[in-house]
Amino acid sequence: MLSWLRKFSRASRASAGERAQALYLQGESANRAGRHREAAQLLIAAIEAGPGVAEFHYELGRSMQALGEPARAVTCFRNAIAADPAHADAHIDLASALLALGDPAAAERSVRSALSIAPRSVPARINLGAALEGQGKFADAADCYRGALGIESASVPALANLAAVCLRLGAIAEAQRSIERALQLAPDSFDAHLRQGSIHLERKLPGLAAQSYREALRLRPGSASAYAGLGYAEDIQGGLDSAMAFYQQALDADPQHVQAHLNRAAIWLAREDYAHGWEEYEWRQRSPEHAPLYERFSHARWDGSSLAGRRILVYAEQGLGDEILFASCLPVVLAQAAHCVIYCETGLAGLLRRSFPQATVHDGRQTDAVEWIEGAGPIDVRLPIGSLPLYLRRSPQAFPRHDGYLRAAPERVAAWQARLRQLGPGLKIGLSWRGGVPQTGRGSRSIPLADLLPVLRLSGASFVNLQYSPCGEELAELRDRHGVAIHHWQEAIDDYEETAALVAALDLTLSVCTALVDLGGALGRPVWVMAPVRTDFRYGLTGEAMRWDPSVRMFRQARYGDWAPVIEAVATALPQFQA
C-alpha cells in the first residue's frame, strides 16, 4: 500500500510539472506572438503549478513589461532572481523595469549584478548606460555604450543611445556618426529616426528634423513622440499654430505625454494665456525622471489659499535660471505667510539669505537627502518654486514692476567695480553667447563667438566673459585670429556670488537666452538679450520688453537662424547706451 502511494505521489508531481511546463511554453509562445495578456494568464497558471521555476517568473515579467506594468514586472523579475540568482537576463530586465519606474540607481545595481554574471553582455552594458544617464552621469553612460559597441559593433540600440548621450554632451560629430551608422544597419529603426531628428535640431536643421520625425511616423503611425518632435521643429521656427496642432496629435495618441504637455504650456505662457499655461506647466512634475524630486517632501501641497498664520516650504526645482525667475514670487509669499522656509541650490544661498532675511534658507543639491527638514520647525504646506506662478501670476497685471529683488554682496560689488575701472574708460559689458542643452534648444539659441565681431570691435567698450561653460579655446581663437580680447576672470565663473557681484558692477550684460538674463534682471541691472525666433516662455513673443524683468531689453530674430540683423541692431544701439 505504501509503495503504491509513493508511486502515485511521484506520478502526481510529474503530472503537475508537465502541466506547468506546457502552460509555460504556451505563455512563451503567446508572448512572442504579441498576445501578452493571454500570455500572462497562462504563465500565472504555470507558476501556480510550479512556483519555484525561475524561467516562469521571468517570462511573466516580460509579459508585464509589454503590458506597461513595470511595478509588477519588477516583482516577477525579483521572484525569478530569488529562484535563480545567476539568471542574468532577469537582472538585465529588472533594470529595464526599474528605469521605467524612475529608479536609475536601483537599475544600476541590478545591471551590475548581471555584468558580474555575464561580463560581455551587450544588453547589460546598454542598460547600465541607460541607468547612468538617468543619474546624470552622461560621460560614463557614453563609455558604457562604446564598450557595448566594442563587443558588438553592429548593435543598433548601443549606437542610437550613444548618439543621444553624445548630443547631451555636446559631441555633435560623434552623435551624427553614430546615428548614421545605426540607420545604415537598420534603416527602419524607429528609435534611430527619432534621435536623428534631435541631432538635426541641434545642428539648426529643423527641416531635416521634420523629415526624420515623419519617417518615424511612417514606421510607427500615431507615435506621440514623433508628433511631439514635429511640433517642436515647427515651434522653434515660430510656427506656433502648426506646432500646437502637432502637440495635440501627440496628446491624442498619448494623453500622458509629458513633453507635449510642457511644449503646449510654453506656447500658452509665451502668448500670456496664463490661465491655461500654468495649469499645463504642472505636467513637468509627472515625468518619471523628475517626479522623485517633486515628491521629496510629504507635507500638504499649498493650493493658493490664505497663508495667514501658516508656515510654507518653497523648494528648488529645474535649473538655476528657473529658481531665480520664480524667486520673483517670493516677496508675495513672505508678505502673506507666518514664515517661509526656502530650499535652494547652494550657489544661490547667499543671494537669497541677503535678499530675503526674514526667510529661513537651506541649501543643497536637488538630489540630496532632506533630513534637515526635521529640524526646520513645523511646516504647514509646501510647494515647488515653479508652481508659485500658478497662484500668483495668473494675468499680465499680476507681474509687479521692480528694480531688482535680489541683492549681490556690496563688498564684492565694490571690489569688482574697482577691478573694472582698471580696464580704462568706456562701457564695461558682460558677454555670454552660448546657452542651454539640446533639450532646451541650445542649437537655436547660441551664437558663434566670431559672429559677434561687429559688436566686439566697437571702440570704447571692454567686454568681460560671463560664459559659464568651457570657452578657453574660443576666447584664444578670437584673440589670435581677430585681435579681439575678452577679459576672463575664472573666479567670477566658479562662484555664483562672484558672478552676481560682477553682473551688478558691470554697465551692461549682453547675452543669449541663459540663466544670466534671469540673474541680471533679478538684480535690476541692464541686460540685453539676443533672442531666437522662438524663445522660452519668459521672454514673450514680441516687443523689446520682458514681462518678468523691467531692466531687460530684447533683440529678437525675425527669421530662424538669422542672427546678422540682431547683431547689427545691437551694434547700432550700443553707442547710444547710457550706463
Side-chain angles (χ1 to χ4, degrees):
M1 180 72 175
L2 184 60
S3 174
W4 181 86
L5 285 172
R6 287 172 179 165
K7 289 180 182 178
F8 178 80
S9 178
R10 285 197 298 270
S12 296
R13 287 198 298 273
S15 176
E18 290 170 359
R19 180 172 176 274
Q21 183 68 19
L23 287 166
Y24 161 72
L25 292 173
Q26 292 175 50
E28 184 185 43
S29 176
N31 256 348
R32 285 199 306 270
R35 303 191 310 274
H36 305 297
R37 198 164 300 280
E38 175 189 340
Q41 292 172 347
L42 290 164
L43 292 161
I44 289 169
I47 291 168
E48 289 174 349
V53 182
E55 203 61 34
F56 296 178
H57 292 282
Y58 172 70
E59 194 66 25
L60 180 58
R62 294 184 65 231
S63 297
M64 292 301 166
Q65 274 188 312
L67 290 168
E69 298 275 5
R72 292 183 177 179
V74 164
T75 300
C76 295
F77 293 136
R78 284 178 172 157
N79 287 339
I81 292 166
D84 179 7
H87 198 303
D89 287 342
H91 286 286
I92 293 169
D93 285 0
L94 173 59
S96 297
L98 289 166
L99 284 170
L101 288 172
D103 193 348
E108 180 185 353
R109 291 191 296 271
S110 178
V111 79
R112 288 195 185 279
S113 296
L115 284 167
S116 70
I117 300 164
R120 289 183 60 81
S121 167
V122 169
R125 288 173 182 264
I126 292 172
N127 269 5
L128 179 57
L132 293 169
E133 274 193 74
Q135 297 173 80
K137 301 173 183 177
F138 301 117
D140 292 339
D143 287 341
C144 282
Y145 299 137
R146 294 186 189 110
L149 290 167
I151 298 169
E152 185 182 327
S153 62
S155 170
V156 173
L159 285 163
N161 286 7
L162 178 60
V165 78
C166 283
L167 181 62
R168 296 200 69 146
L169 291 167
I172 308 305
E174 185 176 3
Q176 181 69 15
R177 289 195 302 272
S178 298
I179 209 65
E180 286 176 352
R181 173 66 174 152
L183 286 168
Q184 286 172 358
L185 291 166
D188 288 341
S189 168
F190 168 80
D191 288 335
H193 283 288
L194 273 187
R195 285 167 171 75
Q196 186 182 50
S198 298
I199 293 168
H200 285 321
L201 289 175
E202 178 68 7
R203 296 174 64 214
K204 304 181 185 179
L205 300 169
L208 289 179
Q211 290 180 24
S212 294
Y213 293 129
R214 290 187 188 280
E215 184 64 15
L217 274 173
R218 181 188 69 80
L219 294 166
R220 193 175 294 176
S223 163
S225 295
Y227 278 126
L230 272 173
Y232 192 66
E234 290 289 325
D235 198 334
I236 62 173
Q237 297 178 83
L240 302 191
D241 290 337
S242 55
M244 285 293 265
F246 282 125
Y247 295 149
Q248 186 58 58
Q249 285 181 282
L251 293 172
D252 289 342
D254 177 8
Q256 305 299 311
H257 196 283
V258 173
Q259 196 58 54
H261 280 288
L262 291 179
N263 289 353
R264 190 166 67 165
I267 292 178
W268 274 326
L269 291 172
R271 287 172 165 170
E272 299 193 336
D273 182 353
Y274 297 117
H276 286 99
W278 291 128
E279 294 285 350
E280 193 81 338
Y281 192 60
E282 291 295 289
W283 274 86
R284 73 196 186 283
Q285 302 175 57
R286 302 198 190 185
S287 70
E289 179 182 0
H290 296 123
L293 296 178
Y294 291 99
E295 297 166 0
R296 288 171 289 172
F297 303 99
S298 59
H299 311 84
R301 178 186 163 101
W302 183 46
D303 59 4
S305 57
S306 173
L307 286 171
R310 303 165 83 187
R311 292 169 56 94
I312 182 171
L313 166 67
V314 177
Y315 54 97
E317 59 165 306
Q318 303 182 74
L320 210 59
D322 300 291
E323 276 193 73
I324 294 169
L325 183 78
F326 297 131
S328 63
C329 297
L330 288 174
V332 179
V333 175
L334 291 165
Q336 294 181 4
H339 190 67
C340 180
V341 177
I342 302 169
Y343 183 47
C344 68
E345 286 284 349
T346 297
L348 288 179
L351 275 168
L352 293 182
R353 288 190 181 106
R354 188 179 307 108
S355 305
F356 307 117
Q358 66 272 52
T360 300
V361 176
H362 289 267
D363 65 277
R365 296 173 301 176
Q366 292 179 29
T367 53
D368 286 348
V370 292
E371 288 88 352
W372 61 265
I373 195 68
E374 296 176 6
I379 301 291
D380 297 300
V381 289
R382 54 91 188 174
L383 199 70
I385 195 167
S387 292
L388 289 176
L390 176 65
Y391 307 112
L392 303 177
R393 296 287 186 268
R394 300 286 294 186
S395 69
Q397 294 72 36
F399 288 78
R401 298 285 298 181
H402 66 82
D403 58 1
Y405 52 88
L406 296 186
R407 300 288 177 262
E411 69 281 4
R412 298 191 191 207
V413 176
W416 283 112
Q417 288 171 334
R419 194 165 184 175
L420 290 168
R421 282 195 294 272
Q422 295 175 7
L423 301 180
L427 292 173
K428 311 302 187 296
I429 304 172
L431 181 68
S432 179
W433 60 96
R434 279 190 278 113
V437 295
Q439 291 73 24
T440 58
R442 177 176 58 194
S444 62
R445 69 196 237 200
S446 298
I447 304 175
L449 182 56
D451 288 4
L452 292 170
L453 283 170
V455 172
L456 300 175
R457 283 180 168 148
L458 286 173
S459 61
S462 297
F463 289 88
V464 177
N465 176 44
L466 292 174
Q467 184 63 47
Y468 54 83
S469 51
C471 58
E473 292 183 7
E474 291 169 278
L475 295 176
E477 183 178 5
L478 190 76
R479 181 188 63 242
D480 297 342
R481 291 189 58 184
H482 304 286
V484 175
I486 295 176
H487 300 280
H488 175 73
W489 297 309
Q490 189 61 40
E491 63 268 33
I493 307 299
D494 294 339
D495 184 338
Y496 212 68
E497 281 271 39
E498 297 293 351
T499 306
L502 177 53
V503 169
L506 289 162
D507 297 313
L508 174 68
T509 294
L510 176 64
S511 178
V512 295
C513 296
T514 72
L516 198 60
V517 176
D518 301 305
L519 177 62
L523 293 166
R525 298 299 298 156
V527 182
W528 286 7
V529 184
M530 299 172 288
V533 166
R534 179 69 174 96
T535 60
D536 182 85
F537 68 81
R538 69 195 73 195
Y539 301 105
L541 295 174
T542 60
E544 292 189 349
M546 181 177 167
R547 178 74 66 187
W548 293 81
D549 293 312
S551 66
V552 173
R553 179 180 177 183
M554 304 295 300
F555 292 80
R556 300 179 187 273
Q557 271 185 356
R559 187 176 61 186
Y560 177 81
D562 187 4
W563 286 112
V566 174
I567 294 167
E568 182 182 353
V570 171
T572 300
L574 264 181
Q576 283 77 48
F577 176 76
Q578 299 295 318

